[in-house]
């Protein structure tokens, strides 16, 4: 909500108009108009559309309640707040039923009035913005913006995210990027910044491991002498970003004190550098990311719900690689070429049979894991064709590490792999055997087996159904 929002005051008492006008100007509202004659209101609205009208109920010629009906009929988007005398409360309540946002009894509680108006303007701004985003999404089906060139995909859900990012490009509100480790959250944050065409630069910081002092100093900077060792002043990342963007990665690891400071920054859009009593304005867009389930952290008392509400207005959920396996061939080709260039090798061919093998693996480390696997395999390749056997062995080991089994419980023979074993099971065989072992240990209790495997009950059922079909 901007203090440039326009406010119209309507009251037949001049002293009330003067008092309210002074209040709003003190609160930095620069666009305030006062009307004492109720007959002038509707003609005024033909050429002006204020964001808020503060309307007295009892006035000569045209009562405020009658004006409310006319305003809400012709200009339903305007926020109308009624002002009443003590003996008119019942009328004020009826006005709220007719569309008034709220009502106040004279003498007006000024602090509450400002709070109500700011909240109303904030909600209206958000509603207008979300409506604009919805219209954009309905009119644009696919993005061709070059800002997404670095995100390789043929997946339809990913392409929908690109369109959504374009829709929110010019918003000043925070963006929250959710996704498992290795899905490319930083790439997506860069795309948000690139599409927005900001004047300033994008600066990034990983929150994990920062205590409150380090967080404050990193974002807000400090003045000379602010703390022991502060021999010179230093600009924080917000100042460095200017009118660009600041990317806060691993926001789920932010401690409670820092969460409060970030919430204030978003609400007030200003801050104090450490050791300074001069208020600085924030002009950078805030982009955050996490692999955590923030709702779970809120339930556990480790993340503020009010901060989550502020951050999640524009949310981007990146699907894991297991949900977009059609991207695997494209990514393999790209990572292979990248590795060959870094190692100064000739281009290496990838056999098509590898893609079928990879499609059976769930990639807990997502795109980052695939990149490391391809790079490692390229280093192990001596000919012109990728060393597929080495890659298969690495995936089998990764799968066993991701689904650790306690040897003390007694492994099924199918899961026991001796170091002397020359032929390793395929990923499908290994996963099938893991499922069998989990069911064995739980006496065929599928819900408990799913928990052991780190799957949902539905996902386990799908795999069991698929196995029966293939049999």
């Amino acid at each position: 909500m901007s203090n440039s929002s326009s406010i119209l005051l309507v009251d037949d008492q001049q002293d009330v108009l003067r008092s309210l006008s002074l209040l709003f100007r003190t609160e930095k509202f620069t666009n305030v108009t006062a009307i004492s004659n109720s007959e002038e209101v509707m003609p005024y609205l033909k050429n002006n559309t204020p964001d808020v009208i503060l309307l007295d109920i009892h006035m000569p010629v045209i009562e405020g309640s009658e004006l409310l009906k006319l305003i809400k009929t012709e200009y339903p988007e305007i926020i109308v707040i009624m002002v009443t005398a003590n003996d008119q409360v019942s009328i004020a309540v009826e006005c709220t039923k007719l569309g008034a946002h709220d009502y106040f009894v004279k003498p007006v509680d000024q602090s509450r009035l400002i709070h109500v108006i700011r909240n109303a303007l904030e909600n209206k701004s958000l509603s207008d913005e979300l409506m604009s985003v919805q219209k954009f999404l309905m009119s644009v089906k696919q993005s061709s913006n070059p800002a997404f060139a670095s995100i390789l995909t043929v997946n339809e859900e990913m392409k929908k995210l690109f369109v959504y990012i374009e829709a929110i490009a010019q918003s000043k509100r925070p963006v929250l990027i959710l996704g498992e480790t290795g899905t490319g959250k930083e790439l997506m944050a860069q795309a948000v910044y690139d599409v927005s065409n900001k004047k300033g630069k994008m600066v990034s910081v990983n929150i994990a491991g920062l205590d409150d002092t380090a967080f404050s100093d990193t974002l807000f900077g400090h003045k000379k002498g602010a703390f022991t060792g502060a021999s010179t002043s230093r600009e924080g990342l917000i100042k460095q970003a200017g009118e660009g963007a600041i990317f806060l990665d691993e926001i789920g690891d932010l401690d409670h004190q820092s969460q409060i400071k970030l919430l204030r920054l978003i609400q007030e859009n200003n801050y104090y550098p450490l050791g300074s009593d001069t208020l600085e304005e924030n002009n950078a867009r805030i982009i955050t990311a996490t692999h955590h389930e923030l709702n779970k952290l809120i339930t556990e008392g480790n993340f503020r719900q009010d901060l989550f509400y502020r951050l999640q207005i524009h949310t981007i959920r990146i699907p894991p690689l297991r949900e977009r396996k059609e991207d695997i061939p494209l990514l393999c080709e790209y990572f292979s070429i990248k590795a060959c260039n870094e190692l100064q090798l000739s281009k290496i061919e990838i056999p098509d049979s590898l893609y079928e093998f990879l499609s059976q693996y769930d990639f807990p480390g997502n795109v980052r894991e695939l990149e490391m696997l391809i790079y490692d395999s390229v280093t192990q390749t001596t000919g012109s064709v990728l060393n597929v056997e080495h890659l298969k062995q690495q995936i089998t080991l990764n799968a066993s590490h991701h689904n650790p089994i306690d040897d003390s419980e007694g492994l099924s023979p199918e899961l026991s792999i001796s170091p002397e074993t020359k032929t390793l099971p395929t990923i499908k065989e290994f996963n099938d055997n893991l499922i069998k072992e989990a069911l064995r240990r739980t006496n065929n209790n599928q819900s408990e087996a799913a928990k052991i495997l780190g799957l949902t009950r539905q996902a386990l059922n799908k795999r069991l159904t698929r196995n029966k079909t293939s049999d």
Side-chain angles (χ1 to χ4, degrees):
M1 186 275 298
S2 171
N3 282 0
S4 62
S5 301
S6 55
I7 298 176
L8 174 63
L9 309 176
V10 183
D11 198 302
D12 62 311
Q13 298 179 23
Q14 290 291 343
D15 58 334
V16 172
L17 292 178
R18 282 193 295 270
S19 174
L20 290 173
S21 295
L22 178 61
L23 169 67
F24 287 116
R25 290 191 170 88
T26 301
E27 292 293 329
K28 310 300 182 185
F29 286 93
T30 57
N31 192 350
V32 180
T33 302
I35 294 178
S36 59
N37 185 346
S38 59
E39 292 181 294
E40 297 177 6
V41 174
M42 297 310 293
Y44 173 84
L45 294 180
K46 286 184 179 180
N47 299 313
N48 305 275
T49 307
D51 296 298
V52 179
I53 297 178
L54 200 61
L55 182 60
D56 187 26
I57 286 182
H58 183 65
M59 291 185 294
V61 186
I62 305 177
E63 288 278 354
S65 56
E66 291 302 314
L67 270 177
L68 172 66
K69 293 177 185 177
L70 294 173
I71 293 169
K72 279 299 174 181
T73 299
E74 297 186 33
Y75 311 98
E77 74 281 5
I78 296 178
I79 300 166
V80 182
I81 296 175
M82 309 303 292
V83 179
T84 177
N86 285 324
D87 60 347
Q88 298 172 318
V89 173
S90 60
I91 300 174
V93 172
E94 287 300 315
C95 286
T96 60
K97 295 179 181 178
L98 294 174
H101 179 80
D102 205 338
Y103 69 89
F104 283 78
V105 176
K106 294 181 180 178
V108 172
D109 182 335
Q110 295 186 349
S111 61
R112 178 173 168 264
L113 175 63
I114 294 298
H115 176 74
V116 167
I117 288 179
R118 288 190 188 280
N119 280 348
L121 288 170
E122 174 74 15
N123 291 335
K124 182 177 183 295
S125 173
L126 177 59
S127 178
D128 291 345
E129 187 172 310
L130 294 179
M131 185 70 71
S132 175
V133 168
Q134 188 177 35
K135 288 180 179 178
F136 185 93
L137 293 175
M138 291 176 66
S139 63
V140 178
K141 301 301 180 185
Q142 189 164 329
S143 173
S144 58
N145 196 304
F148 303 111
S150 61
I151 304 175
L152 303 177
T153 186
V154 293
N155 177 265
E156 290 303 317
E157 292 304 312
M158 291 289 286
K159 290 179 180 179
K160 288 178 183 177
L161 289 182
F162 297 163
V163 176
Y164 179 71
I165 289 171
E166 283 200 275
I168 64 173
Q170 300 312 313
S171 170
K172 295 181 180 179
R173 299 178 188 276
V175 178
L176 174 62
I177 302 174
L178 301 175
E180 296 177 7
T181 299
T183 49
K185 295 186 288 295
E186 189 166 357
L187 275 179
M188 199 66 78
Q190 185 66 50
V192 171
Y193 165 75
D194 290 341
V195 172
S196 301
N197 292 318
K198 297 290 185 181
K199 294 179 182 178
K201 61 182 180 179
M202 174 172 157
V203 294
S204 304
V205 58
N206 191 310
I207 297 300
L210 292 184
D211 60 20
D212 181 57
T213 301
F215 172 80
S216 301
D217 189 27
T218 300
L219 257 66
F220 309 140
H222 64 258
K223 295 296 181 182
K224 181 179 178 180
F227 50 84
T228 303
S231 56
T232 59
S233 297
R234 187 180 71 84
E235 287 186 345
L237 293 184
I238 294 175
K239 192 79 169 181
Q240 294 175 34
E243 296 183 19
I246 179 165
F247 175 49
L248 306 178
D249 200 4
E250 300 301 346
I251 194 70
D253 294 321
L254 199 62
D255 69 28
H256 281 279
Q257 282 299 112
S258 299
Q259 288 177 33
I260 294 172
K261 291 177 181 178
L262 180 58
L263 177 62
R264 287 175 180 165
L265 175 67
I266 295 171
Q267 288 177 333
E268 307 298 332
N269 222 30
N270 51 45
Y271 63 96
Y272 288 99
L274 295 181
S276 173
D277 56 3
T278 302
L279 200 62
E280 300 277 355
E281 185 178 0
N282 171 40
N283 296 309
R285 189 175 193 182
I286 296 172
I287 306 172
T288 61
T290 182
H291 70 279
H292 288 293
E293 287 292 337
L294 292 182
N295 282 318
K296 182 180 178 182
L297 293 183
I298 291 170
T299 302
E300 295 169 348
N302 294 321
F303 202 84
R304 293 180 64 95
Q305 192 169 48
D306 49 3
L307 175 58
F308 173 68
Y309 288 150
R310 288 284 181 173
L311 295 177
Q312 59 87 47
I313 291 173
H314 296 310
T315 301
I316 299 168
R317 294 181 181 273
I318 307 176
L321 186 55
R322 63 180 173 275
E323 294 179 9
R324 53 185 181 105
K325 290 186 175 179
E326 63 270 39
D327 286 341
I328 288 176
L330 182 65
L331 292 168
C332 284
E333 185 70 21
Y334 172 76
F335 292 142
S336 173
I337 293 173
K338 180 181 176 183
C340 287
N341 288 340
E342 288 183 13
L343 298 170
Q344 297 183 336
L345 300 174
S346 300
K347 184 178 179 181
I348 292 176
E349 180 185 346
I350 301 177
D352 291 340
S353 60
L354 177 63
Y355 301 134
E356 174 61 28
F357 176 82
L358 293 176
S359 69
Q360 299 174 28
Y361 181 52
D362 278 349
F363 288 98
N366 292 289
V367 178
R368 186 181 299 144
E369 181 182 6
L370 177 59
E371 180 177 11
M372 293 300 101
L373 286 168
I374 295 297
Y375 188 92
D376 185 42
S377 296
V378 168
T379 64
Q380 298 294 324
T381 298
T382 55
S384 59
V385 180
L386 189 72
N387 189 335
V388 174
E389 290 307 313
H390 176 78
L391 189 147
K392 289 182 177 180
Q393 291 176 20
Q394 288 301 115
I395 286 185
T396 302
L397 290 173
N398 287 358
S400 63
H401 292 155
H402 189 247
N403 297 280
I405 302 293
D406 185 354
D407 289 340
S408 64
E409 295 188 29
L411 286 174
S412 295
E414 295 90 344
L415 289 173
S416 299
I417 303 175
S418 168
E420 288 76 28
T421 302
K422 293 183 179 179
T423 304
L424 293 170
T426 66
I427 290 300
K428 184 177 186 304
E429 290 170 342
F430 194 88
N431 284 340
D432 291 347
N433 290 334
L434 278 174
I435 291 173
K436 290 177 182 177
E437 176 68 12
L439 290 170
R440 181 184 72 81
R441 294 186 181 191
T442 59
N443 293 320
N444 288 317
N445 185 319
Q446 292 187 12
S447 295
E448 291 302 314
K451 289 180 182 178
I452 291 176
L453 294 166
L455 299 172
T456 62
R457 173 71 182 273
Q458 292 81 358
L460 179 59
N461 282 335
K462 283 184 180 180
R463 295 192 183 197
L464 290 171
T465 302
R466 189 171 60 207
N467 290 347
K468 288 179 181 178
T469 305
S470 61
D471 290 343

